[in-house]
Amino acid sequence: MSTKNLVSIVMPTYNAAKYIKETIDSIIGQTYENWELVVVDDCSTDNTIDIINTYDDARINLVKLSKNQGAAVARNTALQNVTGEYIAFLDSDDLWDKEKLTKQLSFMKENGYVFTSTDYAEINEAGEKTGTVIKSHPKLDYEGVLKYCPGNSTVMYNAKELGIFFIPDIKRRNDFVMWLQVIKKAKYVYGLPEALTYYRVREGSLSKNKKKLIKYQWKVYRDIEKLPLMKSVYLLIHKIYTVLKKK
């Protein structure tokens, strides 16, 4: 495994036994083969670890936390163990198109981009497409990311150019906090207009609880980004509007 153009894939997981095999299989099936997967298990109580251990692939690195600490700590732990020039993110219940890494890496190298995302299609718990496709924005700066958070499992950035970013221990919206850190250094995130990621919509998932998401959205604006009150109110209203519009 060459470290040149190596893509490190960050995957925190907790009780994902129902989906993680399909997710890992979507990585193994990539046409781009120079990758490493760092899975951090946050003390799963199901057989998630057993499933991961069935893979005999040197590119897969499993890290087990000693106690349950949440997605932010698991994500940071994974980032402490990456070695690639590029970092991509994949939630343990989402899927990638087999051309995802090939196309996104080419998109970055051909255009000199250091921070990118893609469109993504929603799938249900059974893995069936719902017909909903969320478009990436062609180009966003910091102000744009405040309004439109890229899909976590679509993002890739050049760690050789930008470095590694760690996030505060926030239970929800920790991916949003990370992209806000990255965009400050990258200046722009560019969207590849093709649905190369499949986002699984699950009942009871953190992202389904809109009220709590709004609460943590406010926390990001005020406590982490230290934005002025009126700007935070405006952004929160904008977020609520986009959530309602999506419905």
Side-chain angles (χ1 to χ4, degrees), residues 11 13-26 46-48 51 55 90-95 123-128 200-203 205:
M11 183 188 294
T13 187
Y14 175 72
N15 286 354
K18 187 175 180 180
Y19 308 106
I20 197 166
K21 184 181 188 304
E22 190 179 6
T23 300
I24 294 176
D25 286 348
S26 80
D46 62 6
N47 63 328
T48 295
I51 293 171
Y55 290 91
L90 180 58
D91 287 341
S92 57
D93 55 356
D94 292 342
L95 305 173
I123 57 176
N124 60 23
E125 294 196 46
E128 302 161 332
R200 197 182 303 269
V201 180
R202 295 167 54 191
E203 290 300 323
S205 67

Side-chain angles (χ1 to χ4, degrees), residues 141-148 176 180 183-184 217-223 225-240:
D141 58 8
Y142 173 77
E143 295 296 325
V145 174
L146 282 171
K147 292 181 178 179
Y148 305 104
F176 181 37
L180 289 171
I183 197 70
K184 290 170 188 173
Q217 195 84 11
W218 179 258
K219 183 178 178 67
V220 172
Y221 295 148
R222 294 291 287 158
D223 298 345
E225 293 301 301
K226 309 295 185 184
L227 299 179
L229 177 62
M230 292 311 297
K231 183 172 184 177
S232 298
V233 170
Y234 162 73
L235 289 169
L236 191 64
I237 292 171
H238 183 276
K239 180 63 179 178
I240 293 171

Side-chain angles (χ1 to χ4, degrees), residues 172-173 199-202 204-210 213:
R172 293 172 171 84
R173 307 304 286 147
Y199 168 72
R200 197 182 303 269
V201 180
R202 295 167 54 191
S205 67
L206 294 179
S207 58
K208 287 285 287 184
N209 193 324
K210 302 303 183 185
L213 280 182

Side-chain angles (χ1 to χ4, degrees), residues 68-206:
N68 182 268
Q69 298 178 74
V73 172
R75 199 184 306 271
N76 284 341
T77 302
L79 288 163
Q80 290 168 354
N81 287 274
V82 299
T83 62
E85 291 188 10
Y86 295 84
I87 299 179
F89 299 79
L90 180 58
D91 287 341
S92 57
D93 55 356
D94 292 342
L95 305 173
W96 279 348
D97 180 270
K98 67 180 182 179
E99 295 284 341
K100 199 266 189 187
L101 292 181
T102 295
K103 290 184 176 181
Q104 192 166 8
L105 192 59
S106 295
F107 178 64
M108 296 176 74
K109 294 175 76 67
E110 290 170 5
N111 294 286
Y113 297 154
V114 295
F115 186 22
T116 63
S117 65
T118 76
D119 298 356
Y120 63 90
E122 290 187 352
I123 57 176
N124 60 23
E125 294 196 46
E128 302 161 332
K129 294 181 181 179
T130 66
T132 299
V133 175
I134 308 300
K135 300 289 188 180
S136 57
H137 290 260
K139 181 180 179 181
L140 292 174
D141 58 8
Y142 173 77
E143 295 296 325
V145 174
L146 282 171
K147 292 181 178 179
Y148 305 104
C149 178
N152 179 65
S153 294
T154 77
V155 167
M156 187 190 298
Y157 72 81
N158 187 326
K160 184 177 180 180
E161 294 292 328
L162 300 176
I164 304 292
F165 298 84
F166 299 101
I167 49 179
D169 186 7
I170 179 173
K171 187 174 182 180
R172 293 172 171 84
R173 307 304 286 147
N174 53 80
D175 56 334
F176 181 37
V177 174
M178 181 170 287
W179 312 148
L180 289 171
Q181 288 188 20
V182 178
I183 197 70
K184 290 170 188 173
K185 191 165 184 180
K187 305 303 182 187
Y188 300 103
V189 55
Y190 296 89
L192 196 170
E194 188 173 348
L196 299 173
T197 298
Y198 302 100
Y199 168 72
R200 197 182 303 269
V201 180
R202 295 167 54 191
E203 290 300 323
S205 67
L206 294 179

Side-chain angles (χ1 to χ4, degrees), residues 4 8 12 27-30 33 49 56-57 64 88 102 106 120 131 139 150 152 161 187 195 208 217 224 233 244 246:
K4 182 174 176 59
S8 295
I27 298 173
I28 292 175
Q30 291 294 300
E33 298 181 341
I49 289 178
D56 183 19
D57 192 319
K64 294 180 281 188
T102 295
S106 295
Y120 63 90
K139 181 180 179 181
N152 179 65
E161 294 292 328
K187 305 303 182 187
K208 287 285 287 184
Q217 195 84 11
I224 297 175
V233 170
L244 293 175
K246 183 180 175 182

